Amino acid sequence: MIPGSNSDHPSFRRSFLFALQGFRTAVATERNIKVMLAAGACAVVAGLALGLDPLSWAIVLLCCGVVIMAELFNTAVETVVDLVSPEFHPLAGRAKDIAAAAVWFLSALVAVVGILVFANAILN
């Protein structure tokens, strides 16, 4: 519901379509999401090639999903910051840098998890 609006919430279907529209927009406009989707695709191909067990698949897919989700949140934060502070402001820059740092930190941790999962698959 839009603040100040008397209209009801959109239907579940419309909400789902809005989410798909947001995802398409992010993929079309954000380079990092494309990179992360490509990395996720590479992880899936590697998992297929190595014949990962179900638990390993769950870990890989969860890690891929969480990284994409974090990048989507980062994109949302950057968009809102740009809306409320179109000119440069140190606090706006700090907010964007911290959001980007969260994605970077998560990506580094996921890389370590990926190394452990794939090393385990290779050794077994």
Side-chain angles (χ1 to χ4, degrees):
M1 188 161 150
I2 299 172
S5 169
N6 291 330
S7 64
D8 290 334
H9 289 283
S11 68
F12 179 78
R13 182 177 182 275
R14 283 187 52 103
S15 294
F16 186 77
L17 292 175
F18 289 145
L20 285 177
Q21 178 182 341
F23 184 76
R24 277 191 305 240
T25 299
V27 170
T29 61
E30 297 296 320
R31 179 196 68 227
N32 288 347
I33 292 207
K34 291 175 192 161
V35 169
M36 291 176 186
L37 286 170
C42 289
V44 168
V45 168
L48 290 170
L50 292 172
L52 292 180
D53 63 272
L55 180 59
S56 296
W57 271 116
I59 292 168
V60 167
L61 294 175
L62 183 63
C63 285
C64 290
V66 170
V67 169
I68 297 299
M69 182 189 72
E71 186 58 42
L72 289 168
F73 279 135
N74 180 49
T75 299
V77 167
E78 289 181 351
T79 301
V80 170
V81 168
D82 289 345
L83 174 68
V84 299
S85 183
E87 64 283 337
F88 176 78
H89 189 282
L91 290 177
R94 184 186 303 175
K96 291 169 79 169
D97 290 348
I98 291 169
V103 177
W104 173 81
F105 183 81
L106 178 64
S107 296
L109 184 60
V110 163
V112 171
V113 171
I115 290 169
L116 293 172
V117 167
F118 288 115
N120 183 57
I122 290 168
L123 296 175
N124 291 332

